[in-house]
């Protein structure tokens, strides 16, 4: 590996061991076997390097989300079975990814000192939404329309963030894929029932307006 790759790998190890705020440029240099000038040359700044290292860690977790990596995706896109299959795959990665999720929360609750860093991470969040939407829908990221990313992708990302909190707080009581799926099934059935009642009421009003007085 060259210095650029060495720095990235060293920064990833530092992040997992010390977190974002406590990692210094000298820590990264020591861990990577490079020099301070290399950080500026390849990444511009220590913070920019740490952001890239964090994104790389998150991407590694995301790659393990996909059921297709550990076996074929068996359920059709858009089905409740697919919903459960993907969430089960995601939840299986939680124990091994705990250190990365803790790092995420460290970054999440920092103040304006990390404003530029947070802007970079916000861009990475957009890519994360697209990746999640692709897994559940079965549509390649490149073919997803923006509305799907900004609606379905946001929904899955919000659920993922909630699961992350639960697993960090108490893994034993965290929501399961089965519970998530049953909750969605009930919501869908309730929404369908409400839609049917509304259509029936509109039909009754229309017949009332059309009846002779």
């Amino acid at each position: 590996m060259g210095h650029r790759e060495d720095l990235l790998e060293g920064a990833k190890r530092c992040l997992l061991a010390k977190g974002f705020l406590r990692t210094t440029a000298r820590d990264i240099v020591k861990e990577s076997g490079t020099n301070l000038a290399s950080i500026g040359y390849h990444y511009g700044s220590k913070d920019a390097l740490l952001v890239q290292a964090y994104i790389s860690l998150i991407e590694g977790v995301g790659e393990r989300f996909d059921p297709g990596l550990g076996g074929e995706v068996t359920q059709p896109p858009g089905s409740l079975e697919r919903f459960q299959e993907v969430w089960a795959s995601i939840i299986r990665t939680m124990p091994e990814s705990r250190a990365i999720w803790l790092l995420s929360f460290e970054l999440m609750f920092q103040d304006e000192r990390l404003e530029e860093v947070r802007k970079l991470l916000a861009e990475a969040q957009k890519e994360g939404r697209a990746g999640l939407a692709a897994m559940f829908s079965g549509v390649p990221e490149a073919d997803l329309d923006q509305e799907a990313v900004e609606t379905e992708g946001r929904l899955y990302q919000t659920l993922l963030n909630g699961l992350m909190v639960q697993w960090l707080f108490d893994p034993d009581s965290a929501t399961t894929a089965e519970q998530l799926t049953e909750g969605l099934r009930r919501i869908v059935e309730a929404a369908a029932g409400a839609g049917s009642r509304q259509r029936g009421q509109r039909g009754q009003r229309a017949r009332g307006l059309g009846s002779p007085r």
Side-chain angles (χ1 to χ4, degrees):
M1 290 192 298
H3 275 198
R4 183 178 179 83
E5 293 77 16
D6 290 337
L7 285 166
L8 186 66
E9 293 303 312
K12 286 158 67 173
R13 291 191 292 272
C14 287
L15 281 176
L16 293 175
K18 304 185 71 172
F20 200 101
L21 293 180
R22 291 192 297 126
T23 294
T24 67
R26 293 189 182 279
D27 290 332
I28 298 171
V29 166
K30 181 179 178 181
E31 186 66 33
S32 63
T34 58
N35 55 68
L36 288 171
S38 293
I39 295 178
Y41 178 78
H42 289 291
Y43 291 95
S45 69
K46 180 203 75 172
D47 282 354
L49 168 56
L50 288 177
V51 167
Q52 289 304 311
Y54 170 76
I55 291 172
S56 180
L57 287 169
I58 291 295
E59 286 176 344
V61 173
E63 289 171 0
R64 295 195 294 274
F65 283 173
D66 193 337
L69 295 179
E72 291 299 319
V73 179
T74 60
Q75 303 302 329
S79 67
L80 285 173
E81 291 78 14
R82 172 68 162 242
F83 183 86
Q84 181 170 322
E85 182 179 46
V86 175
W87 280 116
S89 180
I90 290 173
I91 289 169
R92 279 195 297 271
T93 73
M94 291 290 181
E96 65 192 77
S97 305
R98 181 178 174 81
I100 298 173
W101 297 134
L102 285 171
L103 180 61
S104 299
F105 273 84
E106 178 192 355
L107 292 171
M108 200 177 296
F109 293 108
Q110 295 308 314
D111 56 23
E112 64 277 0
R113 289 176 298 170
L114 291 178
E115 185 60 32
E116 289 304 312
V117 171
R118 293 178 70 163
K119 288 180 181 177
L120 291 170
L121 294 176
E123 290 300 314
Q125 289 278 315
K126 293 180 181 178
E127 296 183 15
R129 289 195 285 272
L132 286 167
M135 274 194 295
F136 284 94
S137 68
V139 178
E141 285 187 47
D143 297 332
L144 284 170
D145 63 74
Q146 195 59 27
E147 185 175 358
V149 174
E150 292 302 319
T151 54
E152 297 170 39
R154 283 182 180 273
L155 172 63
Y156 298 133
Q157 195 170 61
T158 300
L159 290 173
L160 176 60
N161 288 339
L163 274 175
M164 187 167 59
V165 172
Q166 292 179 3
W167 270 87
L168 290 176
F169 178 69
D170 182 14
D172 292 335
S173 65
T175 303
T176 66
E178 292 79 7
Q179 289 169 330
L180 272 176
T181 306
E182 178 61 15
L184 177 61
R185 184 191 65 77
R186 289 169 176 263
I187 290 169
V188 170
E189 286 187 355
S196 296
R197 288 193 294 274
Q198 288 176 349
R199 288 191 293 273
Q201 290 168 357
R202 286 196 296 269
Q204 288 177 353
R205 287 196 295 269
R207 287 193 295 273
L209 289 172
S211 60
R213 297 185 180 278

